Amino acid sequence: MSSALPEVPRTAPAPAAPDGSPTGRLARTGAFCARHPLWVVAAWLLVMCAALAGRQLVGAGFSDQVSLPGTPTHTGASLLKASEPAAEAPSGKVVLHVESGTVADHGKAVADTVGRLAALPHVTAASAPVTSQDGRTAYSVLSFDRPLKSLGHAYTDELDEATEPARAAGVGVGYGGDLDQIVRPPADDVAAELTGLAAALVILLLAFGSVAAALLPIATALVGVGVGMGVVGIVAGAVAFATAAPTLAAMLGLGVGIDYALFLTTRYRQDLMEGRDPVEAAGRTAAASGRAVLVAALTVGVALLGLYACGIGFIGRLGLAATIAVLMTAASAVTLVPAALGLVGRRIDRAHVRRPVAETSGDRDGWHRYAALVARRPWAFLLAGTTLLALCAVPMFSMRLGHVDSGSDPVGSSTRDAHTWISDAEGPGFGPGANGPFLVVVDLSGASRGAADIGRGLGEALQGTPGVARATPPRASADGRILVSTVTPTTGPQEAATGALFERLTDRTLPQALADTGATAHLTGTTAGQLDFRDTVTERLPLIIGLVLVASFLLLMTVFRSLVIPLKAVLLNLVTTAASYGVLVAVFQWGWGAGLLGLTGPVPIESYVPMMMFAITFGLSMDYEIFLLSRIAEDWRSQRDNQHAVGTGLAVTGRVISSAALIMTVVFLSFAASPSVVIKMLALGLAVSVVIDATVVRLVMVPSVMFLTGRANWWLPRGLDRILPHIRA
């Protein structure tokens, strides 16, 4: 039996006009935009202004509230709300602290402060201060009549005004508990965006020489991002996005927007250098690179929207916000960029800092020589790349998911002060665990024994559980339907020991204490909810990974008419994700270089960051994969020589992919200055993944694998080829 591969299905070339220029919808769109640039630019500016104005009119709101129906936390909270509605009212702590003496020494100022707090709008009660054993720390619990997030950050001014008497007396004031939802200042992305844009401009000037060619991708990306941010804000009027959604959307939109515009601009300049008319060049650019941009954006969108499959709306909506930004920048890339190119025409290289270059300088340039070197030693390059990524991925196996608490907020912030003062103080209501206590809610509806008997046994079991600092005696609600006890761990909310205590209470202490009683117990409260969220995300992460892998495989198989290319792509992108996870663990969890990011110590990996990173990293990795493979496939269709196609594709896209990756990296890293630890994680993780993917994977491993697999790269069974729709990148 012959072992030869079946004949490779031949994809028909793109239709062309009699003069050789490509036709088709994208080509006509690109040529139209280049022929009428002022109208197109004006239309985009009008849309941007309308979107941003709509965002203001809607009054977009953002919230980090997560609901997980069916979990013990949700069930316990529902039982508590039904029996004791006041216990479920939104609340927060105002913490008072003195370095010397006691808080009681400032009794009049403290009493005045508590009275002012009780009189604030939407505050229903302010408890008498609870004081630590040494008297240096005290706190008052404020109860509110509405969710704290709805009060907005401006409410902080009212809190500050109410606590002014204490401050004037020399008493430190901090805000703890759920008050951090309104006290933490909203992220200011302007400085990060300006830093990223300045760095991108420098890179573009150094890489391509032309001032206009450097400014054009940035200008068009800003318009696309502006439209995207406006649309996200409008949608936020009906959909509750997380507080990190606007920053994530801006970060991704800016990164991919500059990259998309860069790929089109580079292709356009190459066509000009080959003597083509500007309008024709814009049409050809839209037909070739524009199609790759749309496929790449679609791939990113599929990966991000796949987050909805986890069943957690909070995460799915983060993906939706990012998808909106990516799609808006892609739309601007295939319409606004050709218009801008038509507007500058041949003047695109008139102002330059060095001799302008475009895609390639010929068959003997440095990238062609590098491609030839990889072709001669593909195994050596593949082994070197695999070894490097494996080493980066090692820390991933010790990843610990959790929630980053207020103790990791910037030094000197009121939320961090409150967390530290409560953690360091002693006495009931104080200690590290007081920043994240558990509530035990016992459902007595099916109990076969009396509440007092059940409560006595439960109280002894809770107090005797390792890791419990104290547990209040279980008390019955007024309607007698539930028992409630507050359990204070010995460790803080983000510590691994607290997560272990959560599992110990859930799996052993509570079931054993209530065995044969007919009663059931549930752990609830903020910390329990965060740990339930962590467990839910961990359980559903494989589903997201599988869904994104399958969807990406099918899309790439359809685009490139191959089984080997999409299989290689998904496997290498998995390796990229693993390596970026490893770097994230080393920096944040192990603390390697954490000080450079403004962190004072190790923190767990925020529960949803790996899931978000996988979707985003996979989508961005596919961007570069598609840009590289689209040029390889273009040469393959005309030459039918795999080695020549891989070498040409690498030579043509190597410099532009490297420059685009560097731009996206600096854009992401600029957001690492955010005070939010979660944004820092996403910024660093995405920057590392882009660097790894665009260098080690895209320029080393992909060509070496394609050289090794040879003609098999382009094999697709004839029957499957007939079934699949025809989409070309």
Side-chain angles (χ1 to χ4, degrees):
M1 181 182 296
S2 171
S3 59
L5 289 169
E7 183 179 349
V8 181
R10 292 180 175 268
T11 305
D19 62 356
S21 61
T23 61
R25 185 172 300 171
L26 277 176
R28 291 193 298 272
T29 299
F32 174 85
C33 293
R35 200 175 290 115
H36 308 283
L38 293 178
W39 287 103
V40 176
V41 171
W44 269 99
L45 292 176
L46 181 62
V47 169
M48 182 179 69
C49 292
L52 293 175
R55 176 192 177 101
Q56 294 299 318
L57 290 174
V58 167
F62 301 90
S63 173
D64 289 331
Q65 293 294 320
V66 180
S67 178
L68 297 173
T71 61
T73 304
H74 186 270
T75 303
S78 299
L79 289 169
L80 185 62
K81 185 175 183 179
S83 293
E84 295 188 347
E88 271 292 282
S91 64
K93 293 178 180 177
V94 175
V95 185
L96 309 172
H97 178 79
V98 292
E99 292 298 330
S100 61
T102 66
V103 173
D105 296 338
H106 308 277
K108 185 179 184 307
V110 170
D112 190 12
T113 293
V114 173
R116 289 186 174 208
L117 289 170
L120 285 176
H122 307 296
V123 172
T124 58
S127 71
V130 178
T131 307
S132 63
Q133 289 178 354
D134 62 8
R136 295 171 55 204
T137 304
Y139 65 83
S140 173
V141 177
L142 306 186
S143 299
F144 294 83
D145 61 6
R146 63 173 57 185
L148 292 175
K149 195 67 184 179
S150 67
L151 300 178
H153 181 66
Y155 196 82
T156 304
D157 295 335
E158 299 196 49
L159 290 171
D160 289 342
E161 184 177 348
T163 56
E164 182 56 32
R167 298 178 198 273
V171 179
V173 178
Y175 303 119
D178 289 342
L179 280 178
D180 60 5
Q181 296 180 24
I182 55 176
V183 172
R184 284 195 183 115
D188 182 7
D189 302 330
V190 175
E193 291 171 1
L194 291 177
T195 301
L197 290 173
L201 179 59
V202 171
I203 294 168
L204 288 169
L205 284 173
L206 293 176
F208 299 101
S210 167
V211 174
L215 290 174
L216 190 147
I218 293 176
T220 54
L222 282 175
V223 174
V225 170
V227 174
M229 296 303 292
V231 174
V232 167
I234 293 172
V235 175
V239 176
F241 285 128
T243 54
T247 302
L248 179 63
M251 184 166 60
L252 270 181
L254 195 58
V256 301
I258 294 175
D259 275 11
Y260 292 164
L262 172 61
F263 280 106
L264 272 80
T265 303
T266 305
R267 184 67 176 259
Y268 171 82
R269 292 172 66 234
Q270 184 67 43
D271 275 359
L272 287 186
M273 291 179 181
E274 293 173 0
R276 292 187 175 87
D277 174 79
V279 172
E280 179 192 352
R284 290 174 60 87
T285 295
S289 296
R291 185 176 286 109
V293 163
L294 292 181
V295 173
L298 177 62
T299 308
V300 176
V302 167
L304 290 169
L305 292 179
L307 291 169
Y308 269 106
C310 72
I312 304 174
F314 172 85
I315 294 178
R317 290 189 292 272
L318 275 172
L320 173 61
T323 300
I324 291 172
V326 170
L327 294 182
M328 290 301 101
T329 55
S332 71
V334 296
T335 55
L336 181 59
V337 171
L341 293 173
L343 193 62
V344 298
R346 297 188 182 278
R347 298 187 299 275
I348 194 166
D349 287 330
R350 180 165 296 178
H352 54 268
V353 295
R354 66 175 181 82
R355 178 180 174 272
V357 292
E359 289 184 328
T360 179
S361 301
D363 289 343
R364 300 303 302 169
D365 67 4
W367 284 106
H368 275 94
R369 293 194 297 273
Y370 170 73
L373 177 62
V374 176
R376 289 195 298 272
R377 295 180 174 82
W379 280 112
F381 278 87
L382 181 60
L383 180 61
T386 303
T387 302
L388 177 59
L389 294 191
L391 290 174
C392 290
V394 168
M396 177 189 69
F397 296 100
S398 64
M399 180 184 288
R400 178 173 69 85
L401 300 182
H403 176 70
V404 181
D405 62 29
S406 300
S408 298
D409 285 353
V411 175
S413 63
S414 63
T415 51
R416 179 170 182 140
D417 285 343
H419 184 281
T420 302
W421 293 336
I422 288 179
S423 295
D424 293 345
E426 296 182 356
F430 294 91
N435 284 304
F438 296 127
L439 280 178
V440 178
V441 179
V442 180
D443 183 2
L444 299 174
S445 59
S448 58
R449 290 157 54 182
D453 187 22
I454 293 174
R456 187 165 45 253
L458 176 62
E460 293 173 355
L462 291 173
Q463 194 61 61
T465 302
V468 172
R470 68 188 67 86
T472 62
R475 60 171 181 81
S477 60
D479 60 9
R481 294 180 178 179
I482 61 172
L483 289 174
V484 181
S485 174
T486 300
V487 176
T488 304
T490 57
T491 51
Q494 73 178 22
E495 301 300 322
T498 303
L501 174 61
F502 174 76
E503 296 172 358
R504 192 179 302 121
L505 290 170
T506 303
D507 298 338
R508 293 199 294 276
T509 300
L510 295 178
Q512 291 172 6
L514 299 178
D516 302 323
T517 67
T520 56
H522 309 277
L523 279 185
T524 189
T526 301
T527 302
Q530 291 161 352
L531 293 169
D532 251 347
F533 179 76
R534 175 203 66 182
D535 294 342
T536 303
V537 167
T538 302
E539 176 187 338
R540 298 177 185 178
L541 181 58
L543 173 64
I544 296 298
I545 292 176
L547 179 67
V548 172
L549 289 180
V550 170
S552 300
F553 179 89
L554 293 176
L555 179 61
L556 290 181
M557 179 177 64
T558 303
V559 170
F560 294 107
R561 324 304 290 180
S562 165
L563 289 178
V564 175
I565 284 177
L567 179 62
K568 167 193 61 61
V570 297
L571 290 178
L572 290 180
N573 287 349
L574 277 177
V575 174
T576 300
T577 304
S580 58
Y581 280 177
V583 174
L584 208 64
V585 170
V587 173
F588 288 91
Q589 193 174 310
W590 293 0
W592 293 4
L596 298 175
L597 295 175
L599 300 177
T600 56
V603 295
I605 305 302
E606 186 70 32
S607 301
Y608 64 88
V609 164
M611 187 178 285
M612 290 297 304
M613 266 192 61
F614 173 77
I616 298 171
T617 298
F618 203 87
L620 295 180
S621 297
M622 285 298 184
D623 266 11
Y624 296 131
E625 180 84 4
I626 289 169
F627 287 126
L628 172 60
L629 290 177
S630 63
R631 296 312 302 265
I632 293 176
E634 189 176 324
D635 190 89
W636 162 257
R637 293 183 187 114
S638 62
Q639 300 290 332
R640 294 293 163 174
D641 182 333
N642 180 73
Q643 183 161 325
H644 184 274
V646 174
T648 299
L650 185 61
V652 167
T653 63
R655 184 167 52 84
V656 70
I657 284 180
S658 299
S659 301
L662 187 55
I663 290 170
M664 192 174 289
T665 299
V666 297
V667 168
F668 287 159
L669 285 179
S670 66
F671 283 85
S674 169
S676 168
V677 178
V678 174
I679 295 299
K680 290 180 188 291
M681 286 184 185
L682 286 170
L684 180 65
L686 294 177
V688 169
S689 68
V690 167
V691 169
I692 290 174
D693 185 77
T695 55
V696 181
V697 174
R698 215 57 53 204
L699 302 181
V700 176
M701 299 180 73
V702 168
S704 59
V705 171
M706 292 191 74
F707 282 132
L708 287 169
T709 49
R711 186 177 173 82
N713 285 316
W714 310 100
W715 176 66
L716 184 72
R718 287 187 178 276
L720 187 57
D721 182 50
R722 287 193 295 269
I723 296 173
L724 294 176
H726 285 266
I727 305 173
R728 185 182 301 132

